[in-house]
Structure formats: structure tokens, C-alpha cells
Amino acid sequence: MDNLKRAAIFAALFAFAGLQALAQDVTLTSRDGKVELIGTLLGFDGEFYRLQTEYGELTVDGSGVNCEGPGCPNLQDFVAEIQLSGSATMGAVLMPALIDAFAQRNGYKVNRETVDATRFAYVLTRADTGKTAARFYFRATNTDEGFADLLADEADIVLALREVRRDERINARDAGMGDLTGANRSRVLALDAVVPVASASNPIKAISPLDLARVFGGQITNWQELGGPDAPIDLHLPSLSSGLSQAIVDQVMAPVQLEFAEGITRHALPSEIADAVARDTFALGITSYAERRNTQVLTLGGTCGFFLDAARRTIKTEDYPLTAPMFLYFPARRLPLIAREFLAFTRGPGAQNVIRRAGFVDQTPEEIPVDEQGNRFANAITVAGGETSLEELQRMTATLTPMARLTTSYRFEAGSIRLDAQSRSNVQQLARALEQGKYDARQLLFVGFSDGDGAAKANRDIALRRAQAVRRAVSAAAVTANMERVNVGVDAFGEAMPMACDDTAWGRQVNRRVEVWVR
């Protein structure tokens, strides 16, 4: 038996034995012997016991009790165990890369123990003592399975390529796991995007979001209908249970109320989609931006002449409409200290570098000078209608030209005043930056923009109210910031600077935004 097989068997047996031990009854007794709790040990984070008792699930400070029973942990050589389940894309590439970087920074050695294609563990040992500090157990399948494992109490962290569904949220709340949409129950780890891809040899370079949905809905079946050669379109998508597939449903198909056609080739991994499309001149796929590989990413176009390319900056700003944040979800319980330290590390600049190297889009705010913003101001002049006056365009240009745009932008869920998931994460990020003094002695301007549906004055008023709401949300989140050190203002230019065509729901949603400008 080779070493790899030994390690796999050992990891499987260890995980099974750990679950068996935690399933046994233990007795927690106070130091003075006056209080006694009997129950099933659900977890121990090195400081607190989590116990299922006749009174419900309880969390007990380990410093105040003695533990008796076969399930009691070894306090002297405690090993933190963290169960992660969900997206294979996140579990196979991104999270291991972040664990490696965290270990190197904090003096741990890392060893991978593989059970099978979907189950593996990263073991962190202290470089100075050789003692094991933590085991990060992974079950890398798909987002659905991640939430199922969480509800079965078999996961501490869910890796998700989509937001939690309503039924999952209700079931988690009913199971005592808290509201998974709460501020401390979820967060965006990194950014990705849904992109249409074709072979590099395909002459088609752009496609409208509507036509993309019609192709995968079976209404367009030949490249000739898109201006290409007379050949049938061979379609490729992720597996139905993947979070990426569900994101495609939400962002591509649902806005035009279409369902997927029959006969689409499904793939377990996004990279397999790219490889299949790259080999076939007449194939069309939808995959993740990070896994586009050697394919040609098609530009999203519109009837008004605006085009939206997927790129690192346009994904950060959500100017590209089909963004796909990558989420971490946690139940309402304490994680071991090393897990909390790891999660804190994932927010820092070192982790953002790892995210970029892994092919995903990081969340580090960037300042984009006006001269690097392409044709945005030229487009504003080109599409200006009778209600957008030259005076308003001049006012916008005079206000924004001396400033730089932050990639931190804010957009709203379709048909709602609620910020979308990426924007809610951006509220927390900008708030932390303010607390750290990164914008002290500088000017921040929250600028509201709207779509062109309706009267220009009404649109500007709506955009101004949205900008004010975002400013209030950021200020409320920046609890420890000294806001007197920052010059924070609000303005709005309504429909004066569209990013996309207003003739589709996608375009209107892209145009409704609050940007942050800095000087």
C-alpha cells in the first residue's frame, strides 16, 4: 500500500472516529460541583463546548467546567476541526490556496490528506513543536450539497456560488442556526462572473443578453441567426446542481422568463466547459470568468451600441452585469480560534493577492482616474436626450474630472431598493477602510445614477435618494470611524451617464447604481 492510500484511509478513519466521539454523551460539571449538564457533545472550539441537552443546544465556557465521558476532547493537545462543504470550484482551488498562504504567514506546515475526488483534509501542524493545530475537512461537490450538509449539522462553513435560497434560510433558522442572511452569517470571499464563451476560431465576437437567453432556451439554434456561419449551435453548461448553473438561471434565463432547452451538454466542472468549447468551432458555453481558459469570451452587446466586456475592473464595479460573488455561510455558533483567525486573514491584502493569483477577482478597492475610464463621458454626450441638458453634462464633468472613481460601487436587486449581495459586502469593506483611516483628510462623494425610464428630474431625485441611503449604510457600519476626518458628500446625475442600453432589464439594472468618487 503506497503512502497516498495510507493517508487517505487514515483521514477517512479519523473523520469517522471523530464523528463517533462527538456523538457520545458527556457530563459537564461546574468547578464547585453545584451545576451539572448531561448531553451529546456537538463540538468544542478549544474554548467553548457546544452541547445538545434536554434544554436545547447550549454553549458552555470550558474554563468553568470539567468534562467527563468518552466524547470529551483532549484539552492539552486540542486539535481544531473545521468542516467545509459546497462548491467544488471554491473547495478545489481557492480555499486551499488561501489555507496555504495563511499557514505560511503564521508558522504552520501544511499537509493534504486525500480520501477521494471530493473529500480531502488540510492538516496544519506547528512548525516549532510538530503538534497538529487544525484539520480543515473539505467536501467539494456543489452549493446545494453544501447547504444540505449545513442543515444536517455536518458543515461549519458553506462554500457557495449563489445566495442562500428562501427554503434553505428558513430551514437553517428553524434548526437554530440563525438567519444566514445576517451580517455575521455570510460574506463575499471573492468575485467571479458568468460569461458566454465560444471557440477562438468562431467569427462571432459579441452577443446580447437577450439572444444569449434565447439560444439556451432553444429559440435560436443556428449561428446564422447571430450573424455567423450556417451551422447548428452546440450548447454547454454546468451541471444542474451546481451553484454556477443556478446563477445562470437567475441572471440569464429568469429575467426573460425562459427555461433551458433539451439536449444541452452538462459538465461537472466549469473548466470542462471551457475545454469542450475551445475544441469545437460551433460550440457556445456559459462558464465562470475564472475558468474561461483558452476560449473567446463574448462581449455583451445591445441595440443602442453599448458593449460590456468581462474584465477584472468591470466585475469589481459590477459594470459587467453578470457578476457572480463567491460566498461563505456560517451557522450561528462559535468557530475554533484558528478558524476565526483564518477567516480574518481572508479579508486582508495578502489574501487578496492569493485570490488574484488563483484567477478570481479580489475585492481590494482601486482608484480609476477619469482618463482611464474609456468612453464613459463620450457615451454620456452621445446618448444625451432632450431632458439631459448640456448644463447638467457640464456640471457632471466639472464635478467628477478632478476625482477618481473607486471600484467600490453599489447596485440594487431587480425590482427592489435592497442592495445586491456584492454591494452589501462593499458597504462593510468601505466601512472598514474608513475605520482604518484610509480616507482621512480626503473627499468621498457618493454619486447616484439611474436608468432612462421616466422623466429625467424624477430619475435624478431617485438616484439622489439612493446615494443618500448608501452613505447612511456605510456611515452606520463604520462604527469606530471618525467621520469628521473625511469630507463625505452626496450628488446625483440621474440618467446622464448610462453604462448599458435601457431597452432590456439587464441594461436598466446596470444603469441604476451608486458610484463612489474620491479626491
Side-chain angles (χ1 to χ4, degrees), residues 412-423:
F412 305 84
E413 294 179 348
S416 172
I417 60 172
R418 184 174 185 251
L419 289 171
D420 64 21
Q422 184 170 328
S423 298

Side-chain angles (χ1 to χ4, degrees), residues 172-184:
R173 186 186 60 204
D174 291 346
M177 297 181 178
D179 183 357
L180 293 182
T181 62
N184 296 321

